[in-house]
Amino acid sequence: LTPFRKILIANRGEIALRIERACRELGVATVAIYSEADRAALHVLEADEAFLLGPAPATESYLRGELILDIARRTGADAIHPGYGFLSENADFAEACEVAGIKFIGPTASAMRALGSKTKARQAADAAAMPRTPGSTRALASLAEAYSVADEIRYPVMLKAAAGGGGKGMRAVARREDLKAAFEAAQSEALRSFGSDEVYLEKLIERPRHIEIQVLADEHGNCIYLGERECSVQRRHQKVIEEAPSPVVGSDLRRRMGEAAVRLARSQGYTNAGTVEFLVDAEQNFYFLEMNTRLQVEHPVTELVTGLDLVHLQIRIAQGEPLPISQQEIELRGHAIECRVYAEDPDNGFFPSPGRITRLLQPGGPGIREDSGIYEGWVVPMDYDPMLSKLIAYAPTRELAIARLLRALDEYVIGGIRTNLGFFRRILSDEGFRSGRIDTGYLDHLLAEPARRDADAETSDQTVAAIAAALFEALRATPASPVQPPAGAWKSAARREGLRG
Amino acid sequence: MKLEVEIQGRLRAIELEPTTSPGQYRVTLDGEVIEVEARLLRPGVLSLVVAGRSYRAVREDDAPAGNGGEVAVLVAGGRFPYRVEDSRSLKARRARSGGHDGPKAIKASMPGRVVRILASQGEEVEAHQGVVVIEAMKMQNELKSPKAGTVVEIRVAPGDTVSAGDVLAVID
């Protein structure tokens, strides 16, 4: 059992930085990789070594498995951590790492093949006697087959990419006449996003909750679950807010879901960290959805309520260590909620808002964790997912965790680009969210309602903003400004009074 | 000094007068006198105490706010775009933009790449009909016609990179 001395991190953004931090804590050197668009990204600045992959598009940079493996060899890295997205669920890449003798920090290629494809995972779920949504367990061969499966399980149905994730290649279909267009759109989106046009059909569960179980398995046959995460607050099938524990999962349901997840992982010889996703209906029936064979974006909420560091554990498992904890020792304490902060404009259809971060004031204080990959002056590239950071609050109760998040959102200022920070204020203040009455349709309903405004507060904020604007303009006094430099008395007064700091 | 600030479409007259005590200003806003204590914490970040209430105001960037250029201040979680101009040019511009006749431009709301053109030059379009599709950060956004009319000009082609504010098409 030899500890890793150097790990290549095959990712970018906040997760690359998150993994670098874990490596530092464990005394492991880090190798970053980057595209031309990311030379100044924080994950490059914070790494011990950094290597250019190529131009900005992911296919010419972060998805170049052979080149990345070659860099790992050249730098003498013992292991590669793939993060999430990019190559993290690419079994061919995991296999190439195995062949090259460089440890892939994740499951084996064969476990990934058995579970990473959603259709194969559905077959595995049947073998492990897990409840799943009705529908096909193989890719649809034709539109005709799609019609026949949909007719059998009855509308509404959901089309999904077998290789999918992150809501891509997914289409809900309410009526038979919409199936053809949805099938074709799902296929082409799946091909574009994942390089495979395989799609399958499943019954659409009405108003479900999305609840997932974190599992950890070592290479000595130990497998445990670390409780659930509630991820029902979604927009376009993309998670927006995640929390642990779920407001509706009691100890019995948690145990039954957790044991089912462990059963599935064991049945495929799964190792390292993974997540088994379920839909839970109003009667608390749960249905297996898919398994994510990697670290999840929302892993911090589990870390906070279990007190464990999942990236440390991933590295230790990959080094061949047995799990340092047993199922009985897992204890959930408190409540954690995460907001995915995006460079997008909620007032403009959530359109991405890349560009320079001109001002950045980051939150802190008790119970606040901010996992980010940004800094003031950095230009958010247009080429990748627009997530900037994850703002996570931890507190003894859900109510207090919400209060902490709202407080931290007030401290958080990101200027120069649009963000969804204000959108989180709205969700966290909404009675539906606060009472825990959420399902995967919750956010669409909230967005369909006009935002409630506090007119008095807005007027007073606008007044302050106008005063601030006038002061800023007075301070600028640059020749380019049409604002005439004030009388000498003003400038000298400003200097005298220390307004310029 | 006297300034006119257009903020959220509202024109506000502001007079700033330093007082004898440090950082203290007498601000006259639309005729109302407000006591303000101000400190520039660092470029672009201002602490204000307005009638006893403490605020942090952040000016979004360093670009000048004059000549029609728009910048924004961030206060209490809100974003307030503003313009500062001398009163004459501001009035003239507002008068010009008052009418709804004349050609209208479809501008890129964000930087990105042009993916598709949905209407060709000379085509009649309805108000809110999609004309150009832009992609940024893996998301596509359809930019719609601001009014019913004829596409008189398409200024971009698929594959072009555009910046925020670039004119993509003109509808008349």
Side-chain angles (χ1 to χ4, degrees):
Chain A
L1 192 138
T2 332
F4 297 144
R5 281 157 307 157
K6 191 185 279 187
I7 292 176
L8 183 146
I9 297 152
N11 216 299
R12 63 177 299 283
E14 69 85 21
I15 193 60
L17 191 64
R18 160 78 188 91
I19 297 162
E20 280 168 14
R21 284 171 165 160
C23 289
R24 282 273 159 89
E25 289 157 12
L26 296 174
V28 180
T30 55
V31 181
I33 52 172
Y34 62 96
S35 74
E36 283 166 9
D38 272 340
R39 170 60 188 84
L42 207 50
H43 79 276
V44 178
L45 311 186
E46 295 296 325
D48 295 318
E49 297 173 56
F51 289 85
L52 177 68
L53 293 168
T59 48
E60 294 171 54
S61 53
Y62 296 103
L63 292 173
R64 293 181 65 186
E66 273 179 42
L67 175 60
I68 291 167
L69 202 48
D70 190 47
I71 293 168
R73 271 194 218 99
R74 288 202 318 254
T75 55
D78 305 299
I80 294 180
H81 196 308
Y84 52 71
F86 296 123
L87 294 168
S88 63
E89 293 178 281
N90 183 321
D92 293 339
F93 180 68
E95 187 164 31
C97 291
E98 286 164 23
V99 170
I102 291 172
K103 185 74 178 184
F104 178 86
I105 300 178
T108 59
S110 67
M112 202 187 283
R113 284 202 180 95
L115 291 162
S117 143
K118 296 188 181 187
T119 43
K120 286 200 182 122
R122 284 166 69 80
Q123 296 161 27
D126 286 353
M130 285 172 88
R132 63 158 171 86
T133 50
S136 52
T137 56
R138 327 192 162 268
L140 298 165
S142 63
L143 180 62
E145 192 190 346
Y147 276 121
S148 94
V149 174
D151 288 342
E152 191 193 319
I153 63 174
R154 305 244 276 270
Y155 294 87
V157 296
M158 188 71 106
L159 281 161
K160 287 187 180 174
K168 297 246 168 67
M170 255 168 93
R171 291 286 186 285
V173 185
R175 300 170 308 174
R176 196 172 203 275
E177 54 266 43
D178 299 331
L179 186 63
K180 182 172 186 284
F183 181 71
E184 284 159 7
Q187 272 193 330
S188 83
E189 197 171 295
L191 187 62
R192 263 205 320 277
S193 304
F194 313 110
S196 154
D197 70 352
E198 289 193 5
V199 296
Y200 69 99
L201 252 175
E202 64 181 21
K203 178 79 180 163
L204 189 137
I205 306 289
E206 304 273 6
R207 307 194 60 128
R209 284 173 177 264
H210 176 119
I211 298 177
E212 60 190 29
I213 300 285
Q214 175 72 51
V215 296
L216 271 183
D218 65 19
E219 296 171 356
H220 307 277
N222 303 303
C223 183
I224 59 174
Y225 62 92
L226 304 181
E228 79 284 1
R229 291 185 287 260
E230 162 83 60
C231 311
S232 299
V233 180
Q234 303 185 352
R235 199 182 70 82
R236 294 185 178 177
H237 310 295
Q238 292 267 21
K239 296 164 187 169
V240 174
I241 290 180
E242 303 99 343
E243 59 185 302
S246 162
V248 295
V249 174
S251 56
D252 178 60
L253 182 59
R254 178 174 303 125
R255 185 183 48 75
R256 285 188 291 126
M257 290 175 75
E259 287 174 359
V262 165
R263 210 155 62 229
L264 178 72
R266 280 186 190 285
S267 74
Q268 302 301 322
Y270 193 85
T271 48
N272 219 288
T275 295
V276 181
E277 298 191 333
F278 295 96
L279 293 179
V280 177
D281 69 16
E283 284 75 45
Q284 298 220 320
N285 298 306
F286 60 89
Y287 305 91
F288 169 69
L289 198 58
E290 64 186 65
M291 180 154 186
N292 291 314
T293 57
R294 55 169 161 84
L295 188 67
Q296 299 269 100
V297 175
E298 60 272 25
H299 74 275
V301 296
T302 297
E303 295 188 318
L304 290 165
V305 298
T306 58
L308 299 171
D309 187 305
L310 289 178
V311 180
H312 284 191
L313 289 168
Q314 282 195 292
I315 293 170
R316 292 175 63 180
I317 288 169
Q319 281 174 180
E321 289 181 45
L323 277 176
I325 29 152
S326 67
Q327 188 66 59
Q328 289 70 37
E329 289 169 299
I330 300 299
E331 207 181 323
L332 305 183
R333 289 184 71 168
H335 201 98
I337 308 179
E338 172 182 281
C339 297
R340 293 192 187 189
V341 180
Y342 277 94
E344 62 183 19
D345 185 359
D347 296 329
N348 183 19
F350 292 89
F351 195 62
S353 177
R356 185 176 299 279
I357 296 173
T358 55
R359 308 281 181 230
L360 180 63
L361 301 173
Q362 287 164 296
I368 291 300
R369 168 171 166 180
E370 191 214 6
D371 279 21
S372 98
I374 61 174
Y375 59 89
E376 191 170 294
W378 184 55
V379 179
V380 181
M382 67 167 86
D383 310 274
Y384 312 105
D385 181 86
M387 195 169 77
L388 298 171
S389 73
K390 303 180 305 206
L391 180 64
I392 311 127
Y394 176 66
T397 64
R398 185 171 191 265
E399 197 183 358
L400 202 48
I402 292 172
R404 282 202 162 142
L405 266 182
L406 284 166
R407 183 270 293 169
L409 286 166
D410 284 345
E411 294 176 5
Y412 209 163
V413 177
I414 302 175
I417 55 173
R418 306 300 162 82
T419 71
N420 58 352
L421 288 174
F423 184 49
F424 288 117
R425 279 188 205 95
R426 184 177 169 196
I427 299 170
L428 295 166
S429 307
D430 176 63
E431 192 40 46
F433 179 82
R434 297 178 74 92
S435 66
R437 288 192 307 271
I438 43 177
D439 57 57
T440 56
Y442 161 77
L443 215 46
D444 288 337
H445 292 290
L446 183 71
L447 283 168
E449 293 167 20
R452 248 189 289 141
R453 320 189 82 107
D454 181 344
D456 287 349
E458 273 177 36
T459 306
S460 82
D461 290 348
Q462 195 203 72
T463 296
V464 173
I467 294 168
L471 283 164
F472 279 127
E473 292 314 307
L475 283 165
R476 289 184 58 77
T478 57
S481 168
V483 178
Q484 289 309 305
W490 158 259
K491 274 207 282 193
S492 57
R495 260 184 231 116
R496 195 172 58 240
E497 291 153 24
L499 186 67
R500 285 171 182 272
Chain B
M1 71 182 296
K2 286 183 180 177
L3 290 166
E4 286 198 317
V5 177
E6 187 187 336
I7 193 156
Q8 289 186 322
R10 196 172 156 198
L11 192 61
R12 313 203 67 170
I14 302 180
E15 187 174 2
L16 302 170
E17 295 168 83
T19 66
T20 49
S21 61
Q24 199 79 35
Y25 299 85
R26 209 178 125 86
V27 177
T28 312
L29 178 69
D30 300 331
E32 186 194 349
V33 176
I34 304 168
E35 296 299 324
V36 175
E37 210 271 333
R39 281 282 187 281
L40 190 69
L41 307 178
R42 57 181 164 100
V45 183
L46 198 60
S47 162
L48 296 178
V49 177
V50 181
R53 290 187 65 93
S54 175
Y55 296 90
R56 189 174 50 190
V58 175
R59 190 184 193 272
E60 209 168 35
D61 58 58
D62 301 317
N67 297 329
E70 190 181 83
V71 295
V73 278
L74 309 173
V75 172
R79 184 175 181 276
F80 300 87
Y82 70 92
R83 292 169 200 274
V84 177
E85 288 178 70
D86 71 68
S87 55
R88 222 176 5 185
S89 72
L90 196 61
K91 275 178 194 140
R93 193 172 49 75
R94 286 155 66 88
R96 274 200 309 276
S97 64
H100 289 287
D101 291 338
K104 287 261 193 268
I106 298 178
K107 290 182 182 174
S109 48
M110 294 295 160
R113 281 188 200 91
V114 177
V115 185
R116 270 191 302 281
I117 307 293
L118 303 172
S120 47
Q121 199 163 318
E123 197 176 320
E124 297 283 322
V125 291
E126 301 291 321
H128 310 301
Q129 184 178 330
V131 178
V132 178
V133 181
I134 289 187
E135 184 179 270
M137 293 170 152
K138 313 272 170 224
M139 260 191 60
Q140 296 193 352
N141 189 43
E142 205 174 280
L143 299 176
K144 298 175 166 70
S145 176
K147 63 174 202 172
T150 308
V151 180
V152 292
E153 202 183 343
I154 297 277
R155 292 199 187 170
V156 289
D160 288 0
T161 301
V162 294
S163 305
D166 283 1
V167 174
L168 309 176
V170 180
I171 314 293
D172 198 2

